[in-house]
Structure formats: structure tokens, C-alpha cells
Amino acid sequence: MSLLLTPSQIVEILGLPFMTRSLVTVVVLAVAAALIGVFVNLRNLEFISDGLAHSVFPGLVIGYVVAGAYGVFLGALLSALVASVLLTVVSRRGIGSDAGIAVVLASMFSLGVVIVSRQHSYASELEDLLFGRLLTVTDSQVRQIVVVGAVAALLVVATWRTQLFRAFDAQGFRAAGYRELPYDIVLNVAVALVVVAGSQAIGNLLVLALLIVPVAIARLVTTHVAWLAPVAAVVSVVCGVAGLLIGYQASVVAGASPSPSAVVVLVLVVAYLVVLVAYVLGRRARLWGQRRRARQGSTVA
Amino acid sequence: MSSFYWLALVESVVLGLLCGVVGTIVVLRRRAFFTVALTHATFPGGVVAAIGGFSVLLGAGVFSVVLVAVMTAISRVRRQGSQVASGVVLTGGFALGMLLQSLTPSLPVQVDTLLVGSILTVTRGDILAAAIVLLVAVLVLLVAGKELLFSSFDPWGFRAAGYREHAMDAVALTLIAATVVVAMPAVGSILAIALIVGPAATAGLLVRRVSRIIPVACVLGALSGVLGLLASRAWNIAGGAAICLVAAVFFVLATLSAPHVRRRRLRRLRSQAQL
């Protein structure tokens, strides 16, 4: 098998049962994260999202310790809800809030590590919870991911116009009689749910990439708010599928076993860097063009 | 007490002092997310060092220089900003570390020591490195502390007064990056942020005057280190995480008591005014 794939080969690979499961996982997470990521980007909530991702971690661990593999999901869900309310309140206190977020996220994470460190198979469990296992998700996990991802996406879609108003004109939002807290909590809960949905598959920290990077690419590509979510979703799905295929090929052709979610995230980051460089060079070229035209205009005159 | 425990104690005190100094700079300049991104992103540096067989400090140090440059470049592009820059570097760096680690199954160092540290196995070299950074940080504060503060509180005024803000930013970023790197062997790349920001944020809640925040933060940092180590020994839990949890407990206690402290200060001011 060569490194370049024909379309029929791609269909064949993705038709393998475990690849289909990871494909569904990646697509669902990519679309949900793209929708929510629009507001993470517009409202500069990247740090709070990071805080939420870390805060879900002790929930994963406690769930695992108490109830085994089944408890992981429930534990993560509970801690996500607690953390999203906690972080919403901390971040609204204004002064020094970023230090507050940092302390919350690091201490929640430490709590998870302390609990894991009491377990016997400490190192390997820590790695699984942090890095996820994209290629071995089970049918029931896929169902959980679809349900939780859909709920998260629905929360944002249902409040879309109001969230946009809140993002662009906080003063007008207040003046129009809206209250900020409920909408902030809805948004943070949605972020937390995506993190929960993605934790076991993509990994607790790497879900963040799906929230942040595709929308950052979309911001470079388009200036229309309405296009942000579609562009981000398409970019994210394409990079996700490409990452899955690259990971598969690497293990089949080269015999290596790269972490699939790391490959997916790195494909996204590389795509971002390529678009970023193209954007910066494009702007430079346009500026030079304008300047040259202006100079020619002045010599003619 | 065995010698490795003494080494761990010394390391935790030195790191606690260092984090008190540099953490205050992080908090005052609002660089917490930047620092978080840097701590996560030095992880691949550690993995590369483990694969290549050289010092983790060297690998993480080289990586942090590269990543600071990338973050600075991204944050200057329109419609991107510093939060996006931190987010991209954080997740990208973490993924890179994971990829490298998954490609080399026979890695001589366990990944979790890079992520959450292993304070009981620190070497004299690690302690020396932390002590040197501490010394440099103190020297920088003595020489340029006033300028550093000025630019933290009022960047516009700082520039208007004829200073170069970029130079101050570079000094601050270098100190932060160096601290992140030397903290890595003891508390790992994910947990370091708690020890860096925790004591300084706590001190900021307890005292108002900036000249007092740094000493209070240093004491709290060193105390977190020692108490965390004792706790990890008593209950057989991960040392680095225990240290960070102690720092967090201080912060929570300070948050809860901050209204009382503020009220008492007000009362004292009022009684002084009446005299």
C-alpha cells in the first residue's frame, strides 16, 4: 500500500469497524466544538476552557476509582457541571481573575493526580485519561459522545443570537434587559460538555484544540460572523479525517503506532500555521501592491 | 532522613522562593495563561531530551525559547491575539509531546514524571539550576524592579515616559520561561503553574503593598513546598501534586478570609483618621 490513497481505499479503511467508530467520534466532536468554539474565540474564553478541561480531570479519576470504566463518564459529567459554575463565578470577579483561573485549574488537576497516585497502575491510567484512546472507543462510548456532543451543541445553537449579542456588545446586552450570568453559565456548561464528550476519545487536554484552533483558522479565512461556524466545522472535520488516515497509514505502512488524537491535533495545528503564514504574506503582498500603485500614480501626476 | 529526601526538601524551598518572586511578576502582568501554555508546551522538550538522552532542563529550555517566539508572532497578527496564541501553542505542544512519546515505546523516562514531576528524584544539578534562576530573578528585581512594576501597571505611561516596553516584556518573559523550565523536574509540566501563580495570587489577596507581596509569596511558596512534601510522605501520595494542592489550599483560605482582612484594614484606617 502506498502512502497516497485513492478514494476507494479511503472508503475501505474508514469502513473498518473501529475506524468507523473513531470517524463518527471525530466528526461529532469536531462539529460540536466548532459551533461552541465560535463563542470561545469571540469572547476570549480560551483560558477558561483550559480551566474546564483540567477541572474535568479529577472527575474522570474519581469516577474511575469509584465505579470503574462506567464511572468515568458520570464523574466527568458531574465535575464538569460543578467546575463550569465555579469558573464562571471566579472569572466574573474581575480583578486578578486570570490568576484565579490558573489556581483553580492547577489545583483541580493536582487533586486528580493525587487520587491517581494512590492507584496501582498509576502511570498507564494517567496517560489513558490524559491522552484518550481514539481507536478503541466502544459502541456505547460512541453513543455517549453523540448524545453529550449534541446536547452541548444544542445549548449554544438555541441561544445563538443572544450569545452573539452578548459577545459583541456587553453594555447593550445589559441595557436591553438581559442578564449575563445565565448565558455565561450556558456557554461554559456547553464547553465543559464537549470536554467531557471528548475526554475518553481524544484526551482531556487535546479536546481544547478542537475548540480553539478551527475557529482561529476561520477567523483568518473569513470576516463574516455567519461563516465562522461552517468554515470551522469543515476545516475541523477535514483535518480530523486526514489525521485519522495519516495515523492509520503510519501504523500499517511504517509499523509505528502514533497516538491518533495527537496526529489529529497536529494536523490541525499545521493547517493553522499554513493558513496563518499565507494570511500574513497575502496582506504584505496587498500592501506592497497598493504602495507601488500609489507611487506610480504620483510619478504620472 | 535519607539524602534524597533532604535534596527534595532543599529543592522545594528553593523552588518555592523562586515561584514567589517570579509568580508575582506573572500575576501583576497578567501572564497566567501565557505561563500555563508555556508549562504545557515544554512537555515535548522533555520528551525530546529523554529520547536524545540529554538533560530535561536543556530540552525544555530550547523548546520554551522557540515557543515564546511563536506565541509572540501569532499574538501580533490581526484577529488572533494572545489568547489564541496561547491556546494553539498549548495544545500543539502537548500533542507533539504525545506523538513523540507514542512513537518511541522504549522511552527511558516515564511520561508521568515529565507531566507531574518527580520531586524525590531531583539531582543536585536541578537544585543548582533553580538556585541560579532565583539569584538572577532577585538581581533583576534589585536592578530593574521599579521599571518592571511601572510597565506592569501602566504600559502606556511607561512608553510615554520614554522607556522601552518591549525590553521589559522580554525580561519578564525570560524569567517566566526560565522558572517554568527549572520547575519541571520537581513538579512537572502541568502542575508547575499552581506553584508559580498560587502563592503570588494568595499574597495579592492578603497584602496590598507590592513590596510586601513578594516576600509573603516567597514564604507561602517555600511553605507549600515543605508541607506538600511532608504530606506526600505521610500519606504516600504524589509529591509534586501534594505541593500544588497545599498552594491551592492557601489560596482558598485567603479568598475566604480576604473580606475579613479588608474590613479590618478599613477599620484601622478609620480609627487612624479619627485620631
Side-chain angles (χ1 to χ4, degrees):
Chain A
M1 209 186 274
S2 74
L3 270 174
L4 281 175
L5 293 167
T6 61
S8 63
Q9 277 175 319
I10 292 179
V11 172
E12 193 186 320
I13 293 173
L14 294 177
L16 298 169
F18 72 96
M19 287 301 278
T20 312
R21 280 196 291 269
S22 21
L23 178 71
V24 172
T25 307
V26 166
V27 170
V28 168
L29 287 174
V31 173
L35 289 170
I36 297 162
V38 169
F39 294 107
V40 172
N41 182 292
L42 291 178
R43 292 196 38 207
N44 292 322
L45 295 180
E46 282 88 354
F47 194 24
I48 294 190
S49 308
D50 185 33
L52 283 172
H54 281 82
S55 308
V56 167
F57 186 66
L60 292 170
V61 175
I62 294 172
Y64 184 82
V65 170
V66 173
Y70 290 102
V72 171
F73 189 71
L74 202 64
L77 209 54
L78 282 177
S79 62
L81 294 177
V82 173
S84 46
V85 175
L86 192 69
L87 278 169
T88 313
V89 174
V90 169
S91 64
R92 280 169 61 88
R93 289 191 43 189
I95 299 164
S97 67
D98 71 333
I101 297 169
V103 176
V104 168
L105 76 88
S107 53
M108 293 295 257
F109 198 82
S110 310
L111 192 63
V113 172
V114 163
I115 299 170
V116 179
S117 72
R118 298 280 297 171
Q119 301 296 301
H120 291 296
S121 49
Y122 168 41
S124 69
E125 274 163 26
L126 184 71
E127 276 171 42
D128 278 352
L129 291 173
L130 272 179
F131 299 162
R133 281 197 265 177
L134 188 52
L135 293 183
T136 57
V137 285
T138 61
D139 275 330
S140 67
Q141 279 177 329
V142 172
R143 250 174 276 139
Q144 286 173 346
I145 290 167
V146 171
V147 170
V148 176
V151 170
L154 265 181
L155 279 177
V156 167
V157 170
T159 55
W160 191 270
R161 297 182 67 88
T162 334
Q163 295 279 13
L164 265 186
F165 189 10
R166 164 97 182 83
F168 277 96
D169 185 2
Q171 285 191 336
F173 185 79
R174 273 193 299 268
Y178 287 108
R179 286 189 51 216
E180 288 166 334
L181 188 63
Y183 289 95
D184 289 3
I185 289 185
V186 164
L187 186 56
N188 284 345
V189 167
V191 171
L193 287 180
V194 167
V195 171
V196 170
S199 276
Q200 283 174 288
I202 305 269
N204 182 246
L205 278 176
L206 293 185
V207 190
L208 264 186
L210 293 182
L211 278 168
I212 296 173
V213 183
V215 185
I217 295 177
R219 286 291 299 271
L220 292 171
V221 174
T222 175
T223 48
H224 290 278
V225 176
W227 281 104
L228 284 181
V231 170
V234 168
V235 164
S236 191
V237 168
V238 169
C239 288
V241 175
L244 275 180
L245 289 173
I246 291 172
Y248 181 87
Q249 283 298 88
S251 54
V252 172
V253 177
S257 58
S259 153
S261 43
V263 176
V264 168
V265 170
L266 283 177
V267 169
L268 261 180
V269 171
V270 169
Y272 171 77
L273 292 178
V274 169
V275 174
L276 186 79
V277 169
Y279 172 82
V280 172
L281 290 182
R283 271 179 61 84
R284 287 261 167 88
R286 233 173 305 144
L287 274 178
W288 275 331
Q290 278 170 3
R291 239 179 261 156
R292 202 172 50 213
R293 248 170 286 141
R295 220 179 298 138
Q296 280 167 350
S298 65
T299 49
V300 168
Chain B
M1 252 189 271
S2 42
S3 67
F4 70 88
Y5 199 77
W6 275 112
L7 280 182
L9 265 180
V10 174
E11 167 85 344
S12 67
V13 170
V14 174
L15 266 188
L17 293 175
L18 172 62
C19 290
V21 176
V22 176
T24 308
I25 298 174
V26 173
V27 171
L28 292 181
R29 296 182 77 89
R30 303 185 162 249
R31 283 297 197 157
F33 191 32
F34 170 87
T35 314
V36 172
L38 207 53
T39 55
H40 285 58
T42 46
F43 169 51
V47 178
V48 169
I51 293 172
F54 47 89
S55 160
V56 168
L57 290 182
L58 185 65
V62 171
F63 248 83
S64 68
V65 171
V66 174
L67 292 172
V68 169
V70 172
M71 271 196 270
T72 316
I74 293 180
S75 60
R76 286 193 183 169
V77 177
R78 269 213 308 187
R79 299 208 297 272
Q80 295 299 298
S82 61
Q83 289 244 335
V84 171
S86 298
V88 169
V89 165
L90 188 160
T91 52
F94 203 72
L96 187 61
M98 273 174 62
L99 181 72
L100 293 173
Q101 175 258 335
S102 64
L103 288 177
T104 41
S106 57
L107 203 63
V109 178
Q110 286 212 318
V111 184
D112 63 295
T113 48
L114 296 175
L115 289 177
V116 300
S118 152
I119 192 159
L120 290 180
T121 58
V122 289
T123 61
R124 281 167 210 282
D126 295 335
I127 297 176
L128 188 68
I132 291 174
V133 176
L134 173 62
L135 196 70
V136 172
V138 171
L139 282 179
V140 166
L141 274 189
L142 288 179
V143 174
K146 204 183 277 178
E147 285 79 5
L148 206 55
L149 268 185
F150 186 5
S151 74
S152 304
F153 279 102
D154 185 2
W156 292 96
F158 189 70
R159 231 174 298 163
Y163 289 108
R164 284 199 198 165
E165 205 207 335
H166 284 310
M168 275 300 122
D169 220 27
V171 169
L173 295 189
T174 312
L175 276 183
I176 295 171
T179 308
V180 166
V181 170
V182 296
M184 201 172 164
V187 287
S189 63
I190 300 187
L191 295 178
I193 186 66
L195 192 57
I196 295 175
V197 174
T202 313
L205 287 171
L206 293 177
V207 291
R208 299 305 292 173
R209 198 169 297 185
V210 176
S211 58
R212 286 187 201 153
I213 291 182
I214 292 178
V216 173
C218 286
V219 170
L220 286 173
L223 212 57
S224 312
V226 174
L227 290 179
L229 262 187
L230 292 177
S232 99
R233 196 168 134 115
W235 294 304
N236 192 23
I237 53 179
I243 291 175
C244 297
L245 266 188
V246 173
V249 168
F250 283 143
F251 180 75
V252 171
L253 289 179
T255 311
L256 294 180
S257 66
H260 297 285
V261 175
R262 213 172 301 140
R263 227 173 292 145
R264 216 177 48 212
R265 193 179 300 127
L266 268 180
R267 219 177 296 143
R268 202 176 54 219
L269 282 176
R270 250 183 240 135
S271 63
Q272 278 171 355
Q274 277 163 4
L275 280 177

